[in-house]
Amino acid sequence: MCYMQRIVEMIDIKKIRADFPILQREVYGKPLVYFDNGATTQKPRVVVDSIVDEYYSVNANVHRGVHFLSQQATVLHENSRETVKQFINARSTNEIIFTRGTTESINLLACSFGEAFMEEGDEVIISVMEHHSNIVPWQLLAARKGIGIKVIPMNDKGELLIDEYKKLFSEKTKLVSVTHVSNVLGTINPIAEMIEIAHANGAYVLVDGAQAVPHTKVDVQELDADFYAFSSHKIYGPTGIGVLYGKEDLLDRLPPYQGGGEMIQTVTFEKTTFNELPFKFEAGTPDYIGTTAFAKALDYVTAIGLDAIAAYEHELTTYATQRLKEIEGMRIFGEADSKGSVISFLVNDIHHFDMGTLLDRLGVAVRTGHHCAQPLMQRLGITGTVRASFGIYNTKEEIDVLAEGLKRISSMF
Ligand code: 7TS
């Protein structure tokens, strides 16, 4: 038996499913088949329990109280930072900035990096497959500071053209901001190689890891990423928490993003000095209840093992691709050689919204539309797709429900 098969067999799917109470529910009298993990994942009991337990037994504001509860809440919050640090193998907890999510992480960097390191005429490189949250912050910066935006193109399989990428660099290129895994195509971009190319051209790199961190082991030191952003809610954690990882020497040189409590050292009406990392970037009361629950989610994933998760989800995606290809008129968008657990498709000329609505009636939750990637839709010449995205609790039996449902629906049209 090969190594991949052995680790897939280590996954106890019954036990995992039992950890997620929502998977027991029905919609329209049908068992829920949840295939919208790219949008957000369901939460295991340990995560939800952590939120309830901390509110009931510890709740107090962090970093400011001499009293017992405040100190206990602070320890939990800072331990969570340590968990995140270990999860992505950062060098120090000073490199872990808690944000509201990937979107805020990218906005933070666009503001602070744009302020400190970019001037009119400088350029940022993004790709054709970016989520709007990795396009619009750069456009806002472009409007404020007059920077230019260049776009890496892709081939019809949904793979970025690395030779074209190399040609986009000039002395004006200050930053590359690119997604690790596409939320529409599932493409796993050759991010280590892309970082190496950027560094050779004197540019820094921000990686949007929203769709990567839940599915594959990410080691920021091995990648040599300068900045890396991701969200808790896509990795079985609570909503409203995210991370911006940054190399400490770079974060040190960036100005704060927001002003307020926590991020200052001293304030007078004449002058304010800022707190040290990571607090310089964390104005106001953080979601300390959320960070504890986030750490529980990361512990949960670590206990299963990211290698096992990646192998299991790869098997699911391969099976789903096979089953979907049996359907007449099936068009799959994104057939990269290196692909994660996302399948975007259309069947004949059935509108994605109609398909999603009819699948919903069968209990199957998929996402439809442009997936916040309208420029990518333009490149594909479509207005949207139906997207099934898998997580650790999904099964081949559920994929059969999707495939049979698609057959039934397409025969109706
Ligand atoms: N980047 C990528 C690649 C994403 O897929 C998403 C969310 C974001 C950034 C933004 O993350 P947030 O947590 O700040 O909202 N993607 C999706 C999706 O594919 N369907 O719903 C949200």
Side-chain angles (χ1 to χ4, degrees):
M1 196 191 295
C2 77
Y3 170 72
M4 290 283 271
Q5 244 173 327
R6 271 208 315 273
I7 56 175
V8 168
E9 280 175 15
M10 281 162 53
I11 296 259
D12 184 348
I13 191 70
K14 271 213 181 93
K15 184 171 172 300
I16 289 172
R17 287 184 67 83
D19 291 334
F20 292 81
I22 205 169
L23 299 178
Q24 307 307 317
R25 71 162 294 182
E26 296 189 337
V27 285
Y28 304 114
K30 306 273 187 336
L32 170 68
V33 173
Y34 187 78
F35 283 159
D36 197 16
N37 295 286
T40 198
T41 52
Q42 301 303 343
K43 316 305 169 199
R45 207 180 287 277
V46 280
V47 167
V48 180
D49 284 352
S50 160
I51 295 169
V52 176
D53 290 349
E54 191 170 344
Y55 271 125
Y56 281 161
S57 59
V58 184
N59 183 46
N61 208 332
V62 291
H63 297 144
R64 55 194 85 190
V66 290
H67 62 80
F68 184 85
L69 289 186
S70 175
Q71 288 180 13
Q72 208 175 5
T74 303
V75 167
L76 286 173
H77 180 60
E78 289 307 321
N79 283 350
S80 304
R81 203 187 301 275
E82 176 65 31
T83 303
V84 175
K85 180 209 122 182
Q86 286 176 19
F87 193 78
I88 60 170
N89 194 31
R91 289 163 208 82
S92 151
T93 49
N94 290 347
E95 299 183 320
I96 306 298
I97 314 294
F98 283 126
T99 64
R100 283 194 301 120
T102 308
T103 302
E104 191 178 49
S105 298
I106 299 172
N107 276 278
L108 187 167
L109 199 78
C111 285
S112 293
F113 186 94
E115 178 67 31
F117 288 178
M118 296 188 86
E119 48 193 53
E120 192 176 338
D122 282 346
E123 290 167 354
V124 55
I125 295 176
I126 61 176
S127 88
V128 67
M129 62 177 75
E130 298 310 317
H131 187 277
H132 294 164
S133 62
N134 196 25
I135 301 174
V136 185
W138 306 112
Q139 291 175 331
L140 294 175
L141 181 64
R144 278 199 311 275
K145 282 202 100 166
I147 64 148
I149 300 170
K150 287 185 169 171
V151 181
I152 313 166
M154 68 176 198
N155 64 21
D156 290 340
K157 284 166 78 180
E159 295 166 326
L160 293 180
L161 299 174
I162 300 302
D163 285 342
E164 296 301 314
Y165 166 58
K166 288 178 186 164
K167 291 183 202 155
L168 296 179
F169 287 91
S170 73
E171 298 93 80
K172 296 279 184 189
T173 313
K174 292 289 162 22
L175 186 77
V176 173
S177 188
V178 71
T179 194
H180 194 161
V181 175
S182 161
N183 66 321
V184 177
L185 308 165
T187 310
I188 303 172
N189 289 317
I191 218 71
E193 183 191 351
M194 292 177 76
I195 291 171
E196 211 180 313
I197 293 166
H199 287 169
N201 283 279
Y204 295 111
V205 182
L206 164 62
V207 182
D208 173 352
Q211 299 291 344
V213 167
H215 308 287
T216 183
K217 178 78 198 137
V218 169
D219 180 329
V220 289
Q221 290 193 62
E222 199 177 297
L223 289 175
D224 199 20
D226 301 299
F227 305 99
Y228 197 100
F230 62 104
S231 299
S232 149
H233 71 100
K234 293 189 198 288
I235 182 164
Y236 313 103
T239 51
I241 301 287
V243 172
L244 176 66
Y245 157 83
K247 287 181 181 164
E248 189 164 353
D249 61 318
L250 292 175
L251 290 177
D252 250 339
R253 287 153 61 200
L254 296 182
Y257 168 54
Q258 293 181 329
E262 290 274 306
M263 51 76 72
I264 56 90
Q265 215 158 40
T266 59
V267 179
T268 66
F269 284 118
E270 290 72 37
K271 185 177 162 55
T272 290
T273 56
F274 303 125
N275 205 341
E276 56 201 23
L277 289 173
F279 310 111
K280 182 173 83 173
F281 292 105
E282 296 180 353
T285 299
D287 184 357
Y288 52 85
I289 303 278
T291 53
T292 309
F294 177 27
K296 296 279 184 207
L298 296 181
D299 288 343
Y300 182 82
V301 164
T302 302
I304 297 171
L306 268 160
D307 284 348
I309 290 172
Y312 179 70
E313 290 180 352
H314 180 73
E315 197 174 282
L316 281 182
T317 310
T318 306
Y319 179 72
T321 305
Q322 264 167 22
R323 293 271 4 229
L324 262 53
K325 281 188 171 167
E326 288 166 11
I327 294 154
E328 231 183 87
M330 171 63 63
R331 273 193 297 163
I332 291 179
F333 298 89
E335 300 206 85
D337 291 341
S338 183
K339 185 174 165 173
S341 56
V342 175
I343 305 182
S344 269
F345 61 89
L346 289 171
V347 184
N348 293 317
D349 54 359
I350 304 172
H351 196 275
H352 42 87
F353 180 77
D354 294 336
M355 184 64 97
T357 305
L358 292 167
L359 284 171
D360 181 46
R361 289 279 159 177
L362 302 174
V364 182
V366 290
R367 172 114 195 244
T368 64
H370 55 64
H371 314 294
C372 300
Q374 284 181 348
L376 174 60
M377 295 299 130
Q378 281 156 20
R379 164 64 179 81
L380 296 169
I382 54 179
T383 59
T385 72
V386 183
R387 183 189 68 182
S389 50
F390 309 119
I392 49 177
Y393 35 65
N394 290 130
T395 64
K396 288 186 181 171
E397 291 72 27
E398 290 181 314
I399 288 165
D400 290 337
V401 174
L402 170 68
E404 295 310 316
L406 287 173
K407 277 184 195 164
R408 255 177 69 192
I409 293 164
S410 57
S411 70
M412 282 162 45
F413 278 81

